[in-house]
Amino acid sequence: MDYFRPESLEEALGLLAEIPDARCLAGGQTLVAMMNTRIVAPPRLVSLRDIPGLDQIEALPNGGLRMGTMVTHETLMNLSANGAHRLLPETARQIASPAIRAFGTVGGALCHADPAADWPTALVALDASVHVAGIDGKRREPLAEFLVDALTTTLEPGEILTHIEIPPPGQTSAGAYVKFARVEGDFATVAVAVSLSLSGPTCEAIRIAVGGCSPVPTRDDAAETGLVSTELSEADMQAVGNSLATAIQPEDDGRASAAYRRMVVPGLVQRAITLAHDRASEARI
Ligand SMILES: Cc1cc2nc3c(=O)[nH]c(=O)nc-3n(C[C@H](O)[C@H](O)[C@H](O)COP(=O)(O)OP(=O)(O)OC[C@H]3O[C@@H](n4cnc5c(N)ncnc54)[C@H](O)[C@@H]3O)c2cc1C
């Protein structure tokens, strides 16, 4: 195996294009573990560490955020953010342990696309999109389309996820990330991310993503639309929780049974919406 630390995106793309099955190395927290256990044996590793700008977070003129793929969980944990963007530090705090948060990256987590990982769920709730570069050009796509299946994205061999972009938060907005795991720092058994904005006491917009229960985060467009222009009553929240519990495609695994997950989802959805609603209401006062 050979190992390179290119200093530009173009150089990295060239190195990846030279050898089939060459892989990007981000934080190495998953890839190195997979190599140690012989699950994968890439003939070439191309580190993204020295490519300028990939570890930066930039506030966009419209209030959105653009972050490089190499931004670590630790950096996001310490991010000072507004409104619904506070979902970012809240999610980062719940990932793994300090050592893994120091090296693991948001882009690595999205590219690995583990159904139980935290960033896919939180960033789908924030309506994030991803920027991908390949030897033949660049493209941008919604994160929800980038995540195709468990451990599968739209990335073609040799492509690099470069940035993640998050739209501006609504004026009176808030988010909440509620994770249910066997022990602190474990992957999610079930997680719910909510991003909402209020107009007076009523819900102006809301996105709810459920993680850990399907190959990719689950949303229910119709249920979300049903919450818009309501005051998010307990009955409304229960209805949307029940609807999401039906929409997920859980399986039995070492963390929980499918039936258990379906049982947990409604309560977690209600808790996450309530938290986000209370936070947005406080911001309004
Ligand atoms: C013990 C342990 C506990 C964990 N707990 C949690 C948890 O609670 N929640 C959670 O969400 N995660 C958890 N993780 C995962 C971890 O937080 C990282 O997110 C994950 O390891 C991937 O990030 P990375 O930067 O280490 O990527 P790497 O391991 O470097 O790469 C992962 C994969 O993505 C590819 N890749 C990486 N970056 C790019 C890119 N920019 N473009 C194209 N391909 C790319 C690599 O080639 C590789 O295939 C845990 C990991 C461990 C080891």
Side-chain angles (χ1 to χ4, degrees):
M1 183 199 76
D2 55 21
Y3 171 76
F4 290 87
R5 286 182 70 149
E7 293 180 5
S8 73
L9 186 61
E10 292 67 31
E11 196 189 341
L13 290 169
L15 287 162
L16 288 170
E18 277 172 13
I19 299 194
D21 298 330
R23 291 265 193 127
C24 294
L25 179 66
Q29 299 303 295
T30 295
L31 184 54
V32 173
M34 287 168 74
M35 289 167 65
N36 286 342
T37 48
R38 308 272 193 276
I39 295 172
V40 293
R44 170 173 290 180
L45 286 184
V46 178
S47 169
L48 305 180
R49 192 166 294 277
D50 295 339
I51 301 177
L54 294 190
D55 60 350
Q56 301 295 309
I57 303 177
E58 186 192 343
L60 298 172
N62 68 358
L65 279 182
R66 180 177 151 100
M67 52 188 173
T69 185
M70 290 296 282
V71 168
T72 62
H73 312 322
E74 183 184 80
T75 299
L76 285 166
M77 194 174 108
N78 296 316
L79 181 76
S80 160
N82 297 321
H85 288 178
R86 294 204 189 106
L87 195 52
L88 298 168
E90 183 170 47
T91 303
R93 273 196 296 279
Q94 298 180 60
I95 297 177
S97 57
I100 287 164
R101 289 196 292 265
F103 288 96
T105 65
V106 60
L110 296 182
C111 292
H112 186 57
D114 189 318
D118 296 293
W119 286 125
T121 311
L123 289 167
V124 163
L126 285 171
D127 199 13
S129 50
V130 292
H131 293 252
V132 173
I135 201 94
D136 297 323
K138 297 182 177 178
R139 67 170 193 278
R140 173 184 172 160
E141 64 186 326
L143 174 62
E145 289 172 20
F146 175 78
L147 301 166
V148 175
D149 204 343
L151 308 180
T152 309
T153 67
T154 59
L155 277 178
E156 294 289 342
E159 287 188 328
I160 299 177
L161 169 65
T162 60
H163 292 89
I164 298 113
E165 204 166 306
I166 303 172
Q171 203 164 29
T172 309
S173 72
Y177 188 73
V178 178
K179 174 172 173 177
F180 181 72
R182 294 173 302 181
V183 291
E184 199 181 313
D186 191 10
F187 282 90
T189 302
V190 180
V192 178
V194 171
S195 158
L196 60 77
S197 58
L198 300 179
S199 169
T202 59
C203 173
E204 192 175 48
I206 184 163
R207 286 175 69 94
I208 308 164
V210 178
C213 296
S214 303
V216 296
T218 306
R219 285 183 53 236
D220 182 336
D221 274 330
E224 287 174 4
T225 305
L227 290 176
V228 173
S229 303
T230 75
E231 293 194 13
L232 299 173
S233 69
E234 210 165 307
D236 289 334
M237 290 190 280
Q238 264 169 15
V240 80
N242 290 336
S243 169
L244 279 159
T246 309
I248 56 172
Q249 304 163 276
E251 289 183 4
D252 297 344
D253 64 20
R255 292 194 182 93
S257 66
Y260 186 77
R261 286 184 162 98
R262 282 200 201 279
M263 193 184 74
V264 168
V265 164
L268 231 54
V269 167
Q270 192 164 347
R271 198 186 308 171
I273 299 176
T274 304
L275 255 177
H277 177 261
D278 291 352
R279 289 169 178 171
S281 300
E282 275 169 30
R284 189 159 50 91
I285 295 164

